[in-house]
Structures are given as C-alpha cells and as structure tokens.
Amino acid sequence: MQIKPQAKYLKDYQAPSHEVTRLELTFDLHPTKTKVKAKAHYIANCGTTSLVLDGVGLTLLSINVNGQPFEHFECQEQHLQLSNLPNEFELEIETEISPKTNTSLEGLYLSGGAYCTQCEAEGFRKITYFLDRPDVLTIYTVTVIGEQSMPCLLSNGNQVESGQLDDGRHFAKWHDPFKKPSYLFALVAGDFDKLEDMFVTCSGRKVNLVLFVDKGNLAKAPHAMASLKRAMKWDESRFKLEYDLDIYMIVAVDFFNMGAMENKGLNVFNSACVLANQQTATDRDYHTIESIVGHEYFHNWTGNRVTCRDWFQLSLKEGLTVFRDQEFSSDLGSRGLNRIDAVMAMRTHQFAEDAGPMAHPIRPNKVIEMNNFYTVTVYNKGAEVIRMMHTLLGEENFQKGMQLYFERHDGQAVTCDDFVAAMQDASQTNLSQFKLWYEQVGTPTLTVATEFDDISATYTCTFTQKNAQNDPVQSPLHIPFAIELLDKNGHALALKVNGKTTSKIIDVTHPEQSITFEQIPEQPVAVLLEDFSAPVIVNYDYKLSELVHIIAHASSDYARWEATQQAFKLEVLEGVKQYNAHGTISLSCELVDTFNALLCKRQGDLALLAELIRVPSFDTLSSEFECIPVDALNTCIVQFELDIATRLANPLKQTYESCEEKGEMSHKAVSARALKNVCLYYLAMVCDEKILSWIQSQLDCDNMTLKLGALKAVFNAQLPCSEPSMAVFDSQWRHDLLVMDKWFALQATQKSDQAIANIKNLYEHPCFDKSNPNRVRALVGSFARGNAVQFHRLDGQGYRLLGDLLVELNAINPQNASRMLTPFMSWKRYDKARQKLMKEQLERLSKLTDLSGDLYEKVDKALN
Ligand code: B3K
Ligand code: ZN
C-alpha cells in the first residue's frame, strides 16, 4: 500500500525542542554492518521531557541516557521518540547501517571502494538518530575506524589523533571547532592519491590544501587545486572573507548525485567536477570545474558560518553563493560570456520551471521532499534576486550589507529576511517592496511601449508590469530596469531626465509608469533590460533592423548576444508559420548579412562571436510558444543551421583558418577553439576535401575540446566518417568513464530513428551503469533534454524509454529519478497527441506501489 507522503509548510516552523552542546560520533566501518555510536549532550529549550529524533532505515542497537540503559522510547519508521527525560542529559545511541546496499547515494554509502557521505538536505538521519535540521548546530568530534586497506580516514575539521588498533585496523579522530548543522557533516574513507598544496591567508595563516583522487588520477588534479587557490584569494579581495580552518580537503568520488557538497573543511565532489587535463576535458569542463570549486569554497561563509534556519530558506545560501560564484567567474574571465551563460540557464530552464507545475517562489512555502527544491528557481533565480539587490545598492553598499550580515549572524541559522534586513540597514535603502521577490511565483512580464517626439526631442518609455497568472502575489514588484539608447551611428546617447543626467537603471515599481528622456535628437534604438537586469519577460515588438543595429553597436556584449536571440525568435515565429503553410523556411537576408559582417570583421572576443552565430536550442526556442510546435521547431532549427552553413560557407572557412591556438589555456586560445568548433559544426554540413582535412586533424589531435568539437560536427552531419570515428573514440577511451560520458551524450543526440534502439544497446555497454548518476544523465538525460526529434516521437517510444528508466531508478536512486523526470513536467505544453503519451508515463509512475516521495511530489503536481 502506498502511503501519501506528508508536506511540510514554512508557516509551521517551530524552534527546536533541544539544544545540542556537543556530538561525539564513532564509526566502526563495515560494508554491510557499520556501527555508529552517537553520544550527545542535550539541553531542553522549554522544559519538555520528550524528544523526537529523526532516523530512517537504521537498526537500533542500544540507547543509554546518562550512562544507563534507557527504556522510555518508541521506534517509528522515520523517528525515535524518547520520553521521561531530564532537562539536561547525555544520550548515547548505537545504530547499524549498510553502506554497501545504500544505492540512494544519501547518508553513508560506498562509491567504488570508498566510503563517503552526503547529508544535505536530510541524509544525516540515514546515519544516526538526531535532530536532523539546519537550525540545530553543534560541535562535532568524529572517530573513524577502518581497515588498513583504507589509509585515508577523514572527517570535518582538524585531525587530532590517529593510531593502530589491536585487531589490525586503524583509526583517526577529527575535531571541528566550528558549530555546524548535521547536513554539513562528512566522512570519507578510502585509498586515494593526494595532491597537496598550501595557501597563506591575508592575515598570514597557512592552510593545507589536499585533494584526494582515485589512484592514478593525480595528473588530472592540478586544475581543481589552482581553482581553489584562486577562489580563496578572490574571496579575500572582493568580499574580505578569509578561510578559517588549518586544512581544506576536497575528495573526488565517482558516484554522486549532484556536482559537489560544501561539508565544512571536507568537500565531497563528483569526480566529473574535479578531474581535468587537456586530453580528457574540454575548455567548458575547465570552466565548470573552476566555478564549482569556487562555489563550494564560497559556501564556507555563505552557508556554513551563517546557515539556514530551515530548508525553506535554502536560497539564503544557494542564491547568494551562485551570485558569488558568477561574480568570481566574471572577475576572472569574461563578464559578458558569463552573463550569457547565466541568462541562458534562466531563459531555458528557469522560465520553463516557472511556467510548469513545479513553479515555486525562491523561498518555497510547501515541500514534500526537500531534495526536489534544489532547483533552478532557488539557485539561479535566487542569484538573480541577489544580483538585483547588488544593482540597486551598488557594490560598496552591497559589501557593507554583507559585512553587517556576518557581524550579526556569524555562527547562526537565519532566514532570507535576516539577509535582506542587513542589506537594507547597511545601505539605508528601503527594500520592503523588493522583498516580494522572495514570495512571488512565475515569471513577471513587463510590456514596454516607446514614443519618440521629434518636436520636443524626447523619448518616452512606458512600462506595464504584470505578475504571472500562477503568482499568489498579484501586486507590483520592484524591478531594476537597465536601458541604453543608441543613435543611428550606434553611439550611446546620454540619458537625461528633468534636465539631469540619470543612471541607466530605472526603478520600475508601479503597475504602469513612464519615463521621458530629454535631448534625444533622433529616433533611437532602445536596448531594453540590458544585462538582464531583472528576471522578467520583456514584451516589445522589435523590428529585425533594430536588432541588427543592436548586434552591431550595443556597448555590452551581453546585449549584442541578446539581440541575436531576439532575432532568432522572430525568425522562428516566421519559420513556424511557413512550416504550417508548407512554405519555404529560410533565414532573412538581413540576419545572414549581419552574421557575414561579424565573421568578416572578427572583432572583439572570438568566444562571443561563436555565441552570436549559434542557433539557439530547441529548449530555448520552445519557450516562445504556449503550445510547443515540436515538428515545426525541429525543422526550423535544421533549416536555419543548413542555411548558415550554405550561405556563409566562405566566411566560415576563412574564420576557421584565421583562428590561432596551440592547445594553450589562455582566454584567447579558449575563444579561438570555441569559434573553430562552431565554424566546423556548420562546415561539416557542406563538407569538401579541405573541411574533411580539418575535421580529421581535429579528430586526431590530443586536445579534447577540438576532438569532441569535430566528433560532434561529423556526427550531426552524419558524414561517412561518423561511425568509424565514434568507434575509434570508444576504443580509445573505454578506460576513462568521464570521457565516455561525452561519447554517451553524443550517441543520445542521434536524430535518426535508430536512436532509441541504439540507446537500449548502450545500456549493455561495459562502461554503462544505471546506478551511476553521471552515466544515466549522460545517456538518457542527454536524450530527453537534447534530442527533441526522437524524444518527442509520435509513437511514444521516446517517452516510454524515459518512463522505463524512471521505474527502475525509483527503486535504485529516487533523487536521480526525480531529476530525470523533469522533461515530463512540461507535458501540458505539447500538442494533444504528445500530451496523452507523456501523461500515460506519468500515470504509470503514479501507480507504482513503491513510489518514492521524491517522485510522488513531482508526479502528483504534474497530474493534478
Ligand atoms: N549544497 C549542495 C547541494 C545539495 C543537494 C542536496 N540534494 C551543493 C551546492 O549547492 O553547493
Ligand atoms: Zn551551493
């Protein structure tokens, strides 16, 4: 019988019943019979004599209170209830767990041969009975006992003792001087290679840095180490934040549900987010690794030193830390390109979440399974909300706010309100209307009307804002709206209001409001919502000629890219019309000429140029439609790409030839490779001898960015060399599963009708393993998210493939299953035939007798 999982509500928050002053844990490691002793000192907060501890899947061995066996307890499925307790007491609980059979990758589990933990959000309760909630902070002392075959026995903080035991095993004891919640606890035990380094902090303290990787992987560790040092330095200089322990450890493991985890002093990382060298990792991987290493490091202050009162406040640490990692990447690399990445994630994934059944505020108020709320809304939209505050306050006041936040709350578990209060008080800015961003749901729209008056030489913008239909907050938001006005030569006009020069940020706060710019001598072209200054949809009827003007002249790289996106949107709307009328689909000459000019000039950052000429993905373009026209959209994308390839073959060739790089990692070389790959992608569609020779030399080189770029190009164009090249890659890289993930991902995007049979065959590939989230995401995730042609087949085979997998994953790893389910969440946005087929799969899942809470929550929302 299925029990309906219970929801928790933000409004029901109650402070914890007890304070825990210290916790001593002892782990006696064994694959199926690990014994965990937890000795803790509890003090009742309000005279209560009972205590309810969280615990899931534990075998209880013994309970002592103040050294005596204790009998007043009741063991329930998810709790341990104790009664008749004194006000203050020492509780000692011994439990047994089985890491080897824990395939959920939450709690203590085995990854390959190594023990590791994942406790956020509520995994600590799979290790021992405890008050497993973020507002119970305590001091941890942890003893790990293991076999000699596991020389590294690690936990948080500093190692204070280690030694040999009489039975031939050994132990290590760790003490973390900082109070922390249970979700930041970590334990790792295994046999690793170590890369060691050192960082001297701004106050002159020496910090040991240690990176633990699987044996044989040392050569792939230096980039992550260098990234960590850059992150430590950057946080000191930009945020005045210094690291606080004597050691910082990162362990790379192969079985991991997410990217990484910020456990105090002992980060656990998915190996895909650590390991890199030129032969195995792309430039993109290098960038991702640097940003994730930074992100986890930045959590040390925003998350660990100041944490969340309850899980509804997750964006307090995640939105803020994403903002910080974005700034880190932008300060160290290209601000424009990083902004493009961030906005692409918002438009493509977050707007879709906002428009679907999982829509929630950045501070959700109702949750069944917390793991379902590590979303693009909480993370990325949360970061946009922090960014808006930064825009409104400016860097100086924002940093004052950060300092005040730490002054007030260091060592505490707090709320988003506390954060905004610190920002408000430090900057003397009223943020009361702004705070609605924490409650509102869905993407607001801002309709812009403009009017140029040549007699008075004024330009008036009128804004009408509208909350999303599904938004319970139906009142106006505070929207910082950035604008630039270009004259006919492409120069930015000075912005003057009431005779005074004004900032480019307009505070839009009313349902409808206008602003009139003066001394505007001619009809300008307006660059609206420059830099995506707020997470809103702008409605404005751009003409293609205006967009072309922006692409050529806007001062911000981001704005130029954004204009290409808008231009493609116009093209695709027209293309879909043509498709329905059986007309010809082709790109406007005006846009092709613009690309031609860009390719001929090749000015500025080449990586930006690569982004400007790329056709947006199916997922990005589909957000323009209420009912997604799958077949028309797929046809448009293929046709647009072919159009660019054929009509711009010469400039693409010249551009390809002009790109100079010698495999080095400088920004210039990375940009050149990005542009080379985009050119080659198009050129493979119009292949000739010369192009083939370029392809071959990229396939043969030992730089993964170039090799994979060429492989993608031939695979997409289905050149005769595609199959043999894929086979060579397979035999060359079978020993390296992270590289094979790239190959799996590419296989999954095959457009031909063979795709599904091929994927089923690949399930049997020696490198594939359904219990490893990286493999599943590479193969099936790439299929469902990146192969619109085959996933949305009208015979339902694509949906069935995902449905079949979800049934299996539900039993193996509910967290991964739930994430893989996401493509089904937007089922209502497709045509009736596809809706029916997707719904069938959701209904099939809803009937599983062992349906996990993770899937239940999303399936239920999708269907009801
Ligand atoms: N805080 C972790 C994510 C935990 C996810 C739990 N399902 C990584 C991060 O955001 O830094
Ligand atoms: Zn995070």
Side-chain angles (χ1 to χ4, degrees):
M1 230 333 254
Q2 222 173 295
I3 317 165
K4 210 171 140 192
Q6 290 299 304
K8 283 194 194 124
Y9 295 84
L10 167 60
K11 64 175 168 45
D12 295 341
Y13 173 82
Q14 282 190 337
S17 64
H18 290 73
E19 188 187 327
V20 184
T21 54
R22 59 175 182 270
L23 172 62
E24 286 167 40
L25 293 168
T26 306
F27 288 83
D28 192 335
L29 295 174
H30 182 280
T32 52
K33 290 182 166 55
T34 290
K35 291 204 169 66
V36 186
K37 266 193 205 135
K39 195 161 136 185
H41 183 250
Y42 285 83
I43 305 173
N45 278 336
C46 46
T48 172
T49 57
S50 57
L51 169 64
V52 182
L53 299 178
D54 304 295
V56 172
L58 306 170
T59 305
L60 180 63
L61 300 180
S62 66
I63 305 183
N64 283 318
V65 170
N66 292 331
Q68 299 299 316
F70 190 73
E71 279 160 10
H72 305 285
F73 70 89
E74 193 189 326
C75 208
Q76 299 158 346
E77 210 182 311
Q78 310 217 339
H79 295 109
L80 179 67
Q81 286 225 2
L82 302 140
S83 51
N84 291 31
L85 288 164
N87 196 56
E88 194 176 328
F89 56 92
E90 190 162 77
L91 175 64
E92 200 173 345
I93 299 182
E94 195 175 8
T95 47
E96 190 179 280
I97 50 179
S98 169
K100 191 179 170 187
T101 50
N102 179 2
T103 57
S104 70
L105 313 188
E106 196 186 41
L108 179 69
Y109 64 93
L110 274 169
S111 166
Y115 290 92
C116 67
T117 53
Q118 172 53 39
C119 294
E120 188 178 0
E122 298 179 329
F124 192 73
R125 62 191 63 188
K126 291 185 166 182
I127 294 174
T128 186
Y129 288 106
F130 195 63
L131 290 171
D132 188 14
R133 43 189 285 171
D135 57 351
V136 173
L137 288 83
T138 192
I139 300 285
Y140 284 64
T141 307
V142 181
T143 306
V144 188
I145 302 169
E147 303 289 339
Q148 299 290 348
S149 59
M150 308 210 157
C152 306
L153 304 175
L154 315 172
S155 191
N156 318 81
N158 303 309
Q159 187 173 319
V160 288
E161 224 183 301
S162 66
Q164 304 302 317
L165 295 173
D166 292 343
D167 61 4
R169 295 184 303 160
H170 69 140
F171 77 95
K173 188 170 176 181
W174 294 80
H175 179 77
D176 182 355
F178 292 95
K179 276 184 161 194
K180 66 169 173 289
S182 51
Y183 84 86
L184 289 173
F185 162 78
L187 177 155
V188 173
D191 188 9
F192 300 99
D193 273 343
K194 284 194 277 185
L195 178 66
E196 294 187 71
D197 209 326
M198 158 92 75
F199 182 82
V200 182
T201 70
C202 49
S203 71
R205 276 189 315 101
K206 288 191 176 131
V207 181
N208 288 323
L209 310 177
V210 196
L211 227 148
F212 298 83
V213 297
D214 276 354
K215 290 268 165 201
N217 275 339
L218 264 191
K220 293 184 177 182
H223 173 62
M225 181 63 89
S227 304
L228 174 61
K229 288 161 76 179
R230 284 195 286 272
M232 295 177 88
K233 186 115 201 90
W234 179 85
D235 216 13
E236 289 182 348
S237 58
R238 174 97 186 253
F239 278 79
K240 308 277 170 290
L241 296 172
E242 183 182 355
Y243 186 61
D244 50 11
L245 285 165
D246 301 331
I247 183 165
Y248 192 92
M249 298 176 280
I250 292 180
V251 186
V253 300
D254 292 327
F255 285 71
F256 205 65
N257 273 334
M258 322 85 58
M261 177 64 210
E262 70 263 25
N263 317 301
K264 183 79 187 185
L266 177 58
N267 288 183
V268 177
F269 267 63
N270 186 325
S271 54
C273 302
V274 175
L275 303 176
N277 65 30
Q278 289 281 297
Q279 286 74 47
T280 61
T282 61
D283 296 336
R284 186 81 215 168
D285 296 331
Y286 271 71
H287 180 267
T288 307
I289 290 169
E290 182 182 71
S291 104
I292 298 185
V293 168
H295 180 99
E296 305 314 327
Y297 175 74
F298 303 141
H299 268 315
N300 189 55
W301 278 95
T302 50
N304 301 4
R305 288 287 287 255
V306 183
T307 194
C308 304
R309 185 193 73 173
D310 54 75
W311 287 122
F312 300 102
Q313 318 292 332
L314 180 62
S315 203
L316 173 79
K317 73 176 179 84
E318 294 304 348
L320 179 55
T321 306
V322 171
F323 170 77
R324 276 155 51 68
D325 86 51
Q326 289 175 350
E327 283 300 294
F328 169 58
S329 298
S330 303
D331 282 349
L332 266 60
S334 149
R335 188 158 281 274
L337 285 165
N338 278 291
R339 196 64 193 131
I340 289 171
D341 277 352
V343 176
M344 204 130 56
M346 285 298 295
R347 285 258 176 70
T348 308
H349 305 296
Q350 201 280 323
F351 282 13
E353 186 162 85
D354 259 351
M358 262 298 280
H360 53 274
I362 63 167
R363 181 180 52 206
N365 39 42
K366 176 188 174 192
V367 163
I368 292 180
E369 171 50 62
M370 190 53 215
N371 285 324
N372 281 336
F373 287 84
Y374 288 75
T375 57
V376 274
T377 299
V378 167
Y379 274 62
N380 301 63
K381 185 174 179 179
E384 293 303 324
V385 170
I386 302 288
R387 184 171 295 284
M388 286 191 283
M389 268 188 267
H390 184 268
T391 304
L392 293 172
L393 268 55
E395 169 74 3
E396 201 184 323
N397 276 331
F398 183 85
Q399 291 298 350
K400 275 192 203 158
M402 290 297 297
Q403 291 304 321
L404 185 60
Y405 173 64
F406 292 122
E407 243 167 63
R408 285 181 179 172
H409 302 299
D410 188 12
Q412 299 175 4
V414 303
T415 64
C416 298
D417 291 338
D418 294 320
F419 180 82
V420 179
M423 284 292 156
Q424 177 163 288
D425 296 349
S427 65
Q428 306 279 309
T429 314
N430 184 345
L431 293 173
S432 48
Q433 184 185 8
F434 182 82
K435 271 176 73 175
L436 288 176
W437 280 105
Y438 283 88
E439 284 165 53
Q440 63 82 222
V441 177
T443 315
T445 49
L446 197 61
T447 303
V448 184
T450 58
E451 203 187 327
F452 173 65
D453 185 291
D454 55 353
I455 296 168
S456 59
T458 57
Y459 187 69
T460 301
C461 297
T462 304
F463 303 98
T464 315
Q465 63 161 304
K466 218 170 157 10
N467 303 69
Q469 254 174 17
N470 54 350
D471 188 357
V473 177
Q474 288 293 333
S475 47
L477 300 165
H478 184 169
I479 299 171
F481 188 90
I483 191 167
E484 179 175 70
L485 301 181
L486 299 174
D487 69 14
K488 63 173 181 298
N489 298 317
H491 298 129
L493 290 158
L495 300 178
K496 292 212 166 90
V497 177
N498 296 330
K500 274 193 244 139
T501 303
T502 175
S503 122
K504 57 161 68 172
I505 309 292
I506 303 165
D507 285 294
V508 177
T509 52
H510 293 83
E512 194 178 315
Q513 77 190 65
S514 294
I515 184 164
T516 298
F517 297 104
E518 298 146 3
Q519 298 175 38
I520 305 290
E522 62 190 36
Q523 171 80 46
V525 172
V527 178
L528 301 173
L529 199 73
E530 194 195 37
D531 211 27
F532 195 68
S533 59
V536 299
I537 294 169
V538 173
N539 286 330
Y540 181 74
D541 289 328
Y542 271 119
K543 290 202 255 341
L544 187 55
S545 58
E546 292 171 317
L547 293 168
V548 161
H549 193 68
I550 296 174
I551 296 171
H553 302 294
S555 56
S556 118
D557 284 348
Y558 165 80
R560 299 176 59 209
W561 170 81
E562 170 59 16
T564 62
Q565 301 296 294
Q566 298 295 329
F568 273 117
K569 171 180 147 184
L570 293 182
E571 297 289 338
V572 93
L573 292 174
E574 175 60 25
V576 169
K577 243 192 238 162
Q578 291 299 331
Y579 178 91
N580 292 333
H582 306 288
T584 320
I585 299 170
S586 82
L587 284 176
S588 317
C589 294
E590 216 176 344
L591 191 58
V592 175
D593 290 347
T594 304
F595 290 159
N596 188 24
L598 290 173
L599 287 168
C600 294
K601 276 198 210 136
R602 292 194 287 275
Q603 272 169 351
D605 190 342
L606 298 185
L608 176 72
L609 177 52
E611 292 311 318
L612 295 181
I613 61 169
R614 210 190 287 277
V615 177
S617 69
F618 178 92
D619 277 356
T620 304
L621 291 172
S622 61
S623 65
E624 296 306 325
F625 300 88
E626 219 157 281
C627 176
I628 300 169
V630 176
D631 305 303
L633 210 48
N634 279 325
T635 309
C636 285
I637 291 172
V638 170
Q639 198 49 49
F640 290 169
E641 289 183 347
L642 198 60
D643 237 13
I644 293 178
T646 44
R647 290 160 71 183
L648 295 173
N650 281 331
L652 285 167
K653 279 186 191 171
Q654 284 152 11
T655 302
Y656 182 90
E657 274 185 311
S658 75
C659 289
E660 279 177 30
E661 55 80 35
K662 296 192 181 62
E664 69 274 36
M665 282 310 292
S666 66
H667 180 74
K668 213 170 150 217
V670 168
S671 298
R673 283 193 288 277
L675 186 55
K676 259 179 128 167
N677 279 344
V678 175
C679 293
L680 202 62
Y681 178 84
Y682 287 124
L683 290 171
M685 299 174 201
V686 291
C687 201
D688 61 19
E689 285 292 309
K690 190 163 200 182
I691 295 167
L692 207 55
S693 75
W694 291 339
I695 287 175
Q696 205 52 54
S697 80
Q698 281 200 204
L699 283 173
D700 294 342
C701 77
D702 63 358
N703 175 288
M704 186 48 78
T705 306
L706 293 173
K707 197 194 254 306
L708 195 68
L711 199 62
K712 268 187 192 156
V714 297
F715 191 75
N716 178 65
Q718 283 302 299
L719 298 184
C721 64
S722 164
E723 225 171 279
S725 308
M726 289 297 276
V728 169
F729 192 98
D730 180 13
S731 60
Q732 194 182 353
W733 290 108
R734 272 195 189 199
H735 62 282
D736 192 324
L737 298 176
L738 293 177
V739 177
M740 285 306 285
D741 282 343
K742 302 179 192 306
W743 183 83
F744 282 127
L746 197 50
Q747 292 274 10
T749 61
Q750 179 181 9
K751 303 277 182 302
S752 87
D753 284 344
Q754 293 308 305
I756 288 173
N758 189 24
I759 290 174
K760 287 183 185 160
N761 282 335
L762 289 171
Y763 284 167
E764 308 305 323
H765 190 285
C767 294
F768 193 76
D769 175 358
K770 277 187 190 143
S771 67
N772 186 301
N774 288 0
R775 295 305 91 73
V776 171
R777 277 201 291 270
L779 186 60
V780 190
S782 306
F783 171 71
R785 287 167 185 268
N787 190 347
V789 176
Q790 291 297 323
F791 179 59
H792 295 293
R793 284 169 68 107
L794 272 168
D795 62 5
Q797 277 196 53
Y799 304 147
R800 204 167 316 127
L801 183 88
L802 182 60
D804 290 347
L805 180 86
L806 291 174
V807 170
E808 280 185 76
L809 283 186
N810 173 57
I812 304 173
N813 183 339
Q815 231 183 94
N816 195 29
S818 176
R819 214 173 7 195
M820 293 290 296
L821 174 83
T822 304
F824 282 151
M825 294 305 283
S826 45
W827 66 282
K828 286 192 179 149
R829 299 205 33 218
Y830 294 87
D831 51 76
K832 288 277 173 273
R834 289 181 169 99
Q835 278 193 17
K836 179 168 171 285
L837 293 165
M838 287 199 214
K839 189 169 177 225
E840 267 166 28
Q841 295 303 323
L842 286 164
E843 280 170 342
R844 171 186 175 198
L845 292 168
S846 75
K847 288 185 191 124
L848 291 178
T849 46
D850 62 343
L851 187 68
S852 59
D854 306 58
L855 279 185
Y856 168 84
E857 181 167 37
K858 285 170 82 167
V859 169
D860 184 63
K861 277 194 177 152
L863 289 174
N864 302 311

